[in-house]
Amino acid sequence: MRTPPPDPHSLAATIKEQAAALGFSACGITGTTLDKDETHLLRWLDDGFHGEMDYMQRHGTRRSRPDELVPGTLSVISVRMDYLSSDAADMQATLDDKTLAYVSRYALGRDYHKLMRNRLQQLADRVAALVGPFGYRAFVDSAPVLERALARNAGLGWIGKNAVLIDRHRGSWCFVGELYSDLPLPHDTPETGFYCGTCTRCMDTCPTGAIVAPNRIDARRCISYLTIELHGPIPEELRAAIGNRIFGCDDCQLVCPWNKFAQPSRERDFAPRHGLDRIALIDAFAWNEEQFLARSEGSPLRRIGHERWLRNLAVALGNAPSSPTVIAALQSRRDDLSELVREHVRWALARHGSA
């Protein structure tokens, strides 16, 4: 039998204290009602903005109805963890140097999924030590969960025009995760403010025009989708705009005024590995599959595999300043075993006037 729980309010306060002790930068608690967000999601899907991400449709309403995904869920414990590393090279400098590869800041270090899930499990263990066994499930970008909407409802920030979670005191460079629980906890006050105002910097700076309206992202044009989610050829009309971004894109966050308040992450595991914050395109393109697997071990990069790694790099090399070394690097993979790679290499060579 479950141990009689402490007073719900004191238990909620203890949960937040333990979350902070485990390295989470914020923690809030909310319920399961997401009616308006469900409407927004269904409209987004109807517009086809999810592209080839069929998994966004497969789970029906379980994404917007937590108690359908995990029956018995009464409260959602939402946590935030900052990931911007103070050790990483200057973002704008890397973007401006077209001989370098730009990797989204969240992917420079260890895979956040494992790290945050482990911390959420520790949080659940600490709660169980107080209340006895209880029903819960931990999620970190790994299930049909409207994470940002839940975080907003838990008071952790608002959803900006670029569809990311923004906090007035810490900006938007963060991961979020959840514990769905059957504990009857008091809920925090949702963030009802919208502090983007008339600012449209994120919309104006998006290289491919993927932010078609405030909080409406056409993923089919988003560089993060094109370089990570898309399995086939990148549409030719979008390749030039990708520039040297080979895994994800941070432009909308880089220009967000609220990120002047961003705090460096305390997690050493988020520090750059293998020089990925300033790696030369030519060097990364030279990795064989064994090298890619070794250097992407425990990293979000592993998700795209070696073939799409080369596809993305071929596009970036096609956008790089023309030089004999760039052309030679591309020609070295002109006869690659993958037709996907070969096609993007041909496009890149044509950009340099070398068929």
Side-chain angles (χ1 to χ4, degrees):
M1 294 179 63
R2 177 181 294 176
T3 303
D7 168 76
H9 290 276
S10 62
L11 176 58
T14 300
I15 289 172
K16 294 171 186 177
E17 291 171 2
Q18 293 300 322
L22 287 166
F24 294 115
S25 56
C27 175
I29 301 171
T30 186
T32 61
T33 302
L34 293 167
D35 295 346
K36 292 182 179 179
D37 299 283
E38 180 176 291
T39 300
H40 180 84
L41 170 65
L42 294 176
R43 180 187 171 200
W44 185 76
L45 291 169
D46 287 343
D47 288 339
F49 285 173
H50 59 299
E52 294 182 5
M53 295 184 290
D54 295 334
Y55 59 85
M56 294 295 296
Q57 287 183 311
R58 283 198 297 267
H59 300 286
T61 56
R62 283 184 292 174
R63 186 176 298 275
S64 51
R65 302 180 188 181
D67 51 345
E68 286 188 7
L69 179 64
V70 182
T73 297
L74 297 177
S75 302
V76 177
I77 301 167
S78 179
V79 295
R80 168 191 171 118
M81 183 175 284
D82 300 326
Y83 65 77
L84 195 62
S85 173
S86 58
D87 295 335
D90 181 78
M91 287 178 273
Q92 193 60 56
T94 303
L95 283 169
D96 290 342
D97 188 340
K98 301 304 181 184
T99 68
L100 299 178
Y102 186 86
V103 175
S104 184
R105 300 297 93 170
Y106 85 86
L108 292 176
R110 183 184 175 194
D111 192 334
Y112 66 96
H113 297 86
K114 296 177 183 177
L115 187 151
M116 287 191 66
R117 272 200 302 267
N118 288 339
R119 300 288 175 85
L120 282 168
Q121 182 59 56
Q122 292 179 53
L123 181 60
D125 292 341
R126 296 186 183 190
V127 174
L130 295 170
V131 304
F134 72 104
Y136 71 89
R137 280 187 66 183
F139 299 112
V140 182
D141 193 22
S142 57
V145 177
L146 289 183
E147 295 189 304
R148 284 164 291 183
L150 288 167
R152 178 205 61 215
N153 288 356
L156 302 191
W158 76 95
I159 299 175
K161 292 180 181 178
N162 56 356
V164 303
L165 185 75
I166 306 174
D167 176 76
R168 282 183 288 174
H169 306 291
R170 305 188 72 91
S172 66
W173 301 98
C174 69
F175 302 124
V176 291
E178 304 78 34
L179 275 181
Y180 280 25
S181 85
D182 63 358
L183 297 173
L185 297 168
H187 300 161
D188 288 299
T189 302
E191 176 59 85
T192 57
F194 183 73
Y195 302 100
C196 293
T198 59
C199 178
T200 58
R201 291 187 192 180
C202 60
M203 301 175 68
D204 298 337
T205 200
C206 179
T208 53
I211 310 175
V212 297
N215 194 17
R216 286 186 60 75
I217 314 298
D218 185 347
R220 298 167 299 182
R221 301 187 64 84
C222 177
I223 292 176
S224 289
Y225 169 84
L226 296 170
T227 57
I228 301 172
E229 300 288 348
L230 184 65
H231 287 260
I234 294 173
E236 284 195 37
E237 66 272 18
L238 298 175
R239 294 179 189 179
I242 288 174
N244 58 347
R245 303 166 186 83
I246 66 164
F247 190 95
C249 178
D250 293 322
D251 287 38
C252 66
Q253 295 193 85
L254 183 57
V255 300
C256 178
W258 288 105
N259 277 326
K260 65 184 177 183
F261 301 114
Q263 303 293 317
S265 175
R266 294 177 291 173
E267 294 297 329
R268 295 303 306 162
D269 280 337
F270 294 151
R273 296 179 172 187
H274 305 295
L276 284 171
D277 53 333
R278 273 191 77 80
I279 190 170
L281 290 169
I282 290 174
D283 293 341
F285 198 58
W287 291 1
N288 59 32
E289 186 166 18
E290 183 180 356
Q291 290 171 315
F292 171 80
L293 292 175
R295 293 169 187 175
S296 64
E297 185 175 2
S299 161
L301 297 179
R302 179 68 69 89
R303 179 178 177 185
I304 64 173
H306 187 237
E307 182 183 41
R308 282 187 282 162
W309 172 257
L310 294 178
R311 175 200 66 181
N312 297 347
L313 281 157
V315 170
L317 284 167
N319 295 326
S322 190
S323 71
T325 53
V326 166
I327 293 172
L330 287 165
Q331 288 178 335
S332 72
R333 293 196 180 276
R334 188 172 49 191
D335 299 318
D336 193 89
L337 292 175
S338 164
E339 168 55 25
L340 181 67
V341 175
R342 294 198 304 270
E343 189 274 316
H344 287 74
V345 166
R346 289 194 296 268
W347 174 86
L349 284 170
R351 292 266 289 174
H352 292 289
S354 179

